[in-house]
Amino acid sequence: MGRARRQAEGPCPRPRRRRRATYNRYGGVRHLFAALDLAKDKLYGHIKPVKRRTQFLEFCRYLRTLYPPTVRIAIVCDNFSPHLTTKKCQRVGTWAAANNVEIAYTPTNSSWLNRIEAQFTALRYFTLDGTDHADHKEQGSMIRRYIIWRNHHADDRRLRAVVNRANVA
């Protein structure tokens, strides 16, 4: 559109005010429970408003339903407190023993050993970087859409480049 025509139409409407996710979090934060099936190269994720042992066990139970009970599965966790079996609460260890699940923990300050960490880098790169979601529902929708896309395009050249860079770092 030419300059003369723009002037005739009047000034351009104001650009939308940009919201930053770090300014106000009136609705709190959301937590992503995620798992990576190395054999199928498939990512699973659930978004929850809190990250406690109960929600962790809900996610573990979901993962258990993805495989026959006779198949032993291993869940690799970092050392975040809801993942740990403690003296106060043996629920994680008791559930795992009863359901043919092995819970393995990465050493403290060694998250780079957990293969899913590179997938989080890709999720941030493709879904969250440079965005300002209006609310948690919109952000959760973007994350779920990314997981669906990622599982259908696991061999995408751009995705592999981001994951490989994260694995090297």
Side-chain angles (χ1 to χ4, degrees):
M1 179 176 353
R3 183 175 180 196
R5 187 170 172 193
R6 271 193 306 234
Q7 287 176 343
E9 292 176 356
C12 294
R14 283 186 164 179
R16 186 180 83 138
R17 184 169 174 255
R18 188 171 182 164
R19 291 182 296 267
R20 297 301 320 169
T22 55
Y23 287 171
N24 298 308
R25 291 190 177 113
Y26 299 115
V29 296
R30 295 297 179 264
H31 303 275
L32 175 65
F33 287 91
L36 177 64
D37 182 331
L38 294 175
K40 297 177 186 173
D41 196 13
K42 195 167 182 180
L43 189 64
Y44 302 95
H46 288 177
I47 300 169
K48 301 286 185 179
V50 292
K51 191 173 186 179
R52 296 190 188 121
R53 193 166 282 114
T54 301
Q55 290 76 23
F56 175 62
L57 280 172
E58 286 174 8
F59 187 62
C60 288
R61 287 182 183 114
Y62 163 74
L63 295 175
R64 177 73 265 178
T65 66
L66 299 174
Y67 304 93
T70 56
V71 174
R72 183 162 179 83
I73 63 171
I75 300 174
V76 179
C77 300
D78 59 15
N79 288 298
F80 185 55
S81 61
H83 303 159
L84 299 173
T85 304
T86 64
K87 292 177 183 175
K88 289 183 180 178
C89 181
Q90 296 286 323
R91 289 189 296 166
V92 174
T94 303
W95 175 85
N99 289 282
N100 202 18
V101 174
E102 179 181 350
I103 305 287
Y105 299 97
T106 58
T108 305
N109 299 321
S110 299
S111 61
W112 52 272
L113 290 172
N114 194 341
R115 301 268 308 265
I116 198 169
E117 294 296 331
Q119 301 300 323
F120 293 149
T121 301
L123 184 144
R124 278 191 303 275
Y125 178 84
F126 288 107
T127 307
L128 303 175
D129 286 353
T131 62
D132 286 320
H133 299 105
D135 55 23
H136 292 303
K137 184 177 180 182
E138 182 182 341
Q139 184 179 43
S141 174
M142 291 296 295
I143 291 170
R144 284 187 291 278
R145 287 176 54 202
Y146 166 76
I147 290 172
I148 292 166
W149 175 87
R150 186 248 174 251
N151 288 338
H152 287 99
H153 299 91
D155 57 348
D156 183 81
R157 177 181 47 81
R158 295 169 301 152
L159 175 63
R160 286 290 132 213
V162 172
V163 169
N164 290 339
R165 266 195 317 270
N167 277 330
V168 171

